[in-house]
């Protein structure tokens, strides 16, 4: 007899997502974007790096920030749900 474990897992339609983005989240998005643009301009104009080097450094910092936020959110969901997501 096969065990159907898919009945225990919520599907995409079963998940509840917030309907709107909070003001605090929008503030942090704007703050991070401003810092990344500032980091790009600092590297390009003050440190006199090349344009491509400054863009790459700012994008790399942005991706590292996204990865950090993703790992923290996954840990929070795992702790909250008591089971891994996915």
């Amino acid at each position: 007899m096969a065990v159907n474990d898919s009945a225990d897992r919520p599907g995409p339609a079963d998940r509840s997502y917030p309907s709107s983005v909070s003001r605090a989240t929008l503030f942090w998005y704007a703050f991070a974007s401003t810092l990344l643009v500032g980091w790009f301009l600092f590297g390009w104009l003050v440190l006199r790096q090349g344009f491509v080097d400054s863009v790459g450094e700012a994008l790399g910092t942005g991706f590292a920030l996204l990865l950090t936020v993703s790992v923290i959110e996954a840990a929070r969901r795992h702790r909250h749900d008591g089971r891994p997501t996915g």
Side-chain angles (χ1 to χ4, degrees):
M1 177 190 276
V3 176
N4 185 4
D5 64 343
S6 65
D8 296 334
R9 296 182 191 163
D14 297 335
R15 295 182 184 200
S16 61
Y17 293 104
S19 60
S20 63
V21 178
S22 69
R23 288 181 188 231
T25 302
L26 289 176
F27 169 77
W28 287 111
Y29 285 163
F31 182 74
S33 299
T34 303
L35 281 179
L36 288 174
V37 169
W39 187 248
F40 160 74
L41 291 174
F42 179 76
W44 187 37
L45 300 174
V46 176
L47 297 179
R48 298 188 183 254
Q49 297 180 103
F51 178 80
V52 175
D53 290 336
S54 295
V55 169
E57 192 170 321
L59 286 177
T61 303
F63 284 126
L65 182 62
L66 286 174
L67 179 65
T68 303
V69 169
S70 176
V71 167
I72 290 170
E73 182 63 24
R76 285 180 60 214
R77 283 191 183 190
H78 178 71
R79 185 184 67 198
H80 177 69
D81 292 345
R83 63 185 190 287
T85 59

